[in-house]
Amino acid sequence: MSTNLKMTIGLIVAALVAIGVTVYLSGSGENPAAATDAQDERLVRPDSHKLSTAADGKATLVEFLDFECEACGALYPEMERLRADYDGRITFVVRYFPLPGHANGEPAARAVEAAAAQGRFEEMYTRMFETQASWGEQQSPQDEVFFGFATELGLDMDAFKTAFADPATAARVQKDQDDGISLGVDRTPTVYLNGEPVDGPSYDSLKERIDKALAS
């Protein structure tokens, strides 16, 4: 058998093996892109709340947070600074993750979700963090405090109270929490940038990563 014929046969065999591997992966569901998409969906759902959206999609910041969490409260002004500095250049997504040790963390999330039903998510989100010191770390229910915030925002109070008590609202909060748990979130704040967790999130650490993402 000539050398050229051997090389031709070798190339044909290699091509057939490559085709076989492709068919196997397609049929078995072992598609790396699909796995990535599934993970991304747990980070950002179609109904996830976005405080800003970047058209180019180069930088997506996702925060799992608890409105009663003091560490989240401490990070809040740094996140607001990032929002201002990168206005229109990053997508900023908020996910609920009330911790079981905070008596009013879950009700606070429901209050924000009830405000979102009237198109006022951002305003209630802001109100929760700016007033956290006055209602946080309380063992007694703070529902009336949250109703007061809704009144100050000029919301339809009948609709707000109905949404606040609606099991569907609690389920919406729980859905965010379930996504976080499936991703391994066990504390707040937990922040992801483009799908990668950020240890010890701060203005400086996030700015460095965002700049790299935008430059890529």
Side-chain angles (χ1 to χ4, degrees), residues 39 42-43 62-66 69 72 95-100 174-192 195-199:
Q39 184 176 17
R42 289 181 293 165
L43 285 167
V62 180
E63 180 182 6
F64 285 86
L65 57 80
D66 176 350
C69 165
C72 295
R95 305 297 302 273
Y96 304 121
F97 201 84
L99 299 173
Q174 185 63 50
K175 185 173 71 172
D176 272 14
Q177 193 161 34
D178 289 343
D179 277 344
I181 291 171
S182 73
L183 288 164
V185 174
D186 61 2
R187 69 195 68 186
T188 56
T190 293
V191 177
Y192 292 83
E196 295 295 327
V198 180
D199 292 330

Side-chain angles (χ1 to χ4, degrees), residues 19-146:
I19 292 170
V21 169
T22 301
V23 170
Y24 171 77
L25 289 178
S26 299
S28 65
E30 300 282 343
N31 189 327
T36 301
D37 289 345
Q39 184 176 17
D40 288 346
E41 187 175 71
R42 289 181 293 165
L43 285 167
V44 185
R45 297 285 185 182
D47 63 349
S48 292
H49 295 298
K50 297 177 181 178
L51 292 173
S52 63
T53 302
D56 60 18
K58 284 188 174 182
T60 297
L61 198 63
V62 180
E63 180 182 6
F64 285 86
L65 57 80
D66 176 350
F67 291 106
E68 194 172 359
C69 165
E70 291 183 343
C72 295
L75 183 62
Y76 166 73
E78 300 192 35
M79 288 298 209
E80 290 295 282
R81 183 181 172 192
L82 286 169
R83 284 180 62 200
D85 289 351
Y86 293 92
D87 184 32
R89 292 189 289 159
I90 64 172
T91 298
F92 185 11
V93 184
V94 174
R95 305 297 302 273
Y96 304 121
F97 201 84
L99 299 173
H102 291 152
N104 289 289
E106 193 272 347
R110 282 192 284 118
V112 175
E113 185 62 21
Q118 298 187 44
R120 306 296 292 279
F121 172 84
E122 183 173 353
E123 291 90 338
M124 188 64 89
Y125 160 89
T126 299
R127 188 64 57 93
M128 287 295 180
F129 279 126
E130 290 184 345
T131 64
Q132 187 193 74
S134 67
W135 62 265
E137 301 300 323
Q138 304 290 327
Q139 293 307 308
S140 59
Q142 299 296 297
D143 297 6
E144 292 299 326
V145 173
F146 304 150

